[in-house]
Amino acid sequence: MDGQKRKNIEQGLNVDIVLKKDQRTGKLTNGVVKDILTNSPTHPHGIKVRLEDGQVGRVKNIYK
């Protein structure tokens, strides 16, 4: 599913994100969405979220 559209993301979803420190390598971090931080309906690099463990990054993959 598309991590660039805010409408596809909701609290409690399992997602892969790219942390700021991992943007060069593209390393993904898996977790559960706690907060959606991007206010615009879309973002070309992925919607920014905070995971339940406190990590912040942009959504790359969504698992339903």
Side-chain angles (χ1 to χ4, degrees):
M1 187 159 292
D2 192 358
Q4 296 179 347
K5 294 189 171 91
R6 193 175 192 277
K7 68 179 182 179
N8 293 338
I9 301 166
E10 48 194 54
Q11 289 181 333
L13 279 181
N14 188 18
V15 297
D16 286 335
I17 64 170
V18 173
L19 302 174
K20 183 78 170 175
K21 67 181 176 112
D22 295 330
Q23 283 181 343
R24 286 181 179 268
T25 64
K27 179 182 173 231
L28 297 177
T29 303
N30 186 271
V32 177
V33 176
K34 180 179 179 186
D35 300 309
I36 301 172
L37 304 177
T38 301
N39 289 324
S40 65
T42 63
H43 192 283
H45 301 294
I47 299 298
K48 189 180 281 187
V49 298
R50 179 180 294 116
L51 301 180
E52 288 183 342
D53 63 5
Q55 297 185 94
V56 174
R58 296 197 179 273
V59 175
K60 296 299 174 186
N61 299 313
I62 303 170
Y63 303 102
K64 287 235 173 182

